[in-house]
Amino acid sequence: MTEYTVEFVGTGETITCSDKETILSRCLEEGIAQEYSCRVGMCVACSAEIVEGEVTQPAARAFTEEEASRYALTCMARPQSDLKLDRGKYPPSIEGDVGATAGEAFADDD
């Protein structure tokens, strides 16, 4: 078992996480307020942009292969190196879906 440092950009929060545990589970153990919902890699509530480092997340079903190389679902992701993550960041494909849904909701109110 190898342990890595996971730093959360802009928060000053850092955890030590082994390659055998998920980043989310370690955050919860350390009392760090990391958003999450489904805990099975589908909802993207726990998404974070990978600023530096690598993770493995074979069950991260909500991302394409390309997105999974740049973003982590912390409920599935296990560190493979020291990491810097920017929490609450989503791939452009998901950001676009969120914006379109919100725009449609406002259009219906007119």
Side-chain angles (χ1 to χ4, degrees), residues 91-104:
S93 64
I94 294 169
E95 285 286 349
D97 290 344
V98 172
T101 303
E104 290 166 7

Side-chain angles (χ1 to χ4, degrees), residues 2 9 12 35-36 39 48 57 63-64 66 70-71 85:
T2 305
V9 175
E35 289 188 44
Y36 69 94
R39 295 184 80 160
Q57 52 186 352
F63 290 155
T64 66
E66 181 182 333
R70 296 178 31 227
Y71 295 87
L85 298 178

Side-chain angles (χ1 to χ4, degrees), residues 49-69:
E49 183 176 9
I50 301 169
V51 177
E52 283 181 23
E54 293 182 24
V55 300
T56 184
Q57 52 186 352
R61 294 177 220 112
F63 290 155
T64 66
E65 191 174 318
E66 181 182 333
E67 291 169 341
S69 69

Side-chain angles (χ1 to χ4, degrees), residues 24 35-46 61-62 73 75-76:
L24 176 61
E35 289 188 44
Y36 69 94
S37 184
C38 74
R39 295 184 80 160
V40 294
M42 294 296 292
C43 76
V44 305
C46 66
R61 294 177 220 112
L73 291 177
C75 70
M76 294 284 112

